[in-house]
Amino acid sequence: MKTSQFSPVMPPEHTDRTCPAVGFQRATVCVPVTVRPFAHAGRTVTHCCGDPVVVAGEQPCAGTKNGVCHFTISQTICVEVPVEFGAVPVVGDPFVDCLGASEEDICTDCTRETDA
């Protein structure tokens, strides 16, 4: 007896059939962005100011042991933040303003003004 490779419940001519459907959703997507400034020091350059001083015997050093010196540099900056919008699984707390749904293609030419 020859056995069939197809299930007896579904005839072979129905095995590759699907019911395709497409839905379109217009939406405005918004996500908060934080700009956190940072500063990295570049390579330092040390300039020797005069000749070294050599003194015999123990001499106390002026200043603070293991001390540091402070000064401030300020710079106005402008940060370019490239952002690409798309649809991904939920990241953070997104907000959405739903603008309408349809079975018709409302996405093609969606940049033109609508009469809605």
Side-chain angles (χ1 to χ4, degrees), residues 26-81:
R26 286 190 51 169
T28 299
V29 179
C30 173
V31 63
V33 176
T34 300
V35 175
R36 185 173 308 247
F38 65 89
H40 293 289
R43 182 177 177 187
T44 61
V45 177
T46 302
H47 297 273
C48 298
C49 303
D51 295 325
V53 176
V54 179
V55 177
E58 283 189 47
Q59 298 289 324
C61 293
T64 304
K65 183 176 182 177
N66 295 321
V68 295
C69 296
H70 296 276
F71 67 98
T72 301
I73 297 175
S74 63
Q75 175 71 53
T76 300
I77 63 171
C78 181
V79 180
E80 179 179 340
V81 181

Side-chain angles (χ1 to χ4, degrees), residues 4-17:
S4 172
Q5 62 179 344
F6 298 103
S7 167
V9 177
M10 183 178 288
E13 64 273 7
H14 292 275
T15 59
D16 290 342
R17 290 193 181 171

Side-chain angles (χ1 to χ4, degrees), residues 80-99:
E80 179 179 340
V81 181
V83 176
E84 293 182 3
F85 291 99
V88 296
V90 175
V91 176
D93 295 319
F95 296 81
V96 65
D97 182 8
C98 297
L99 304 175

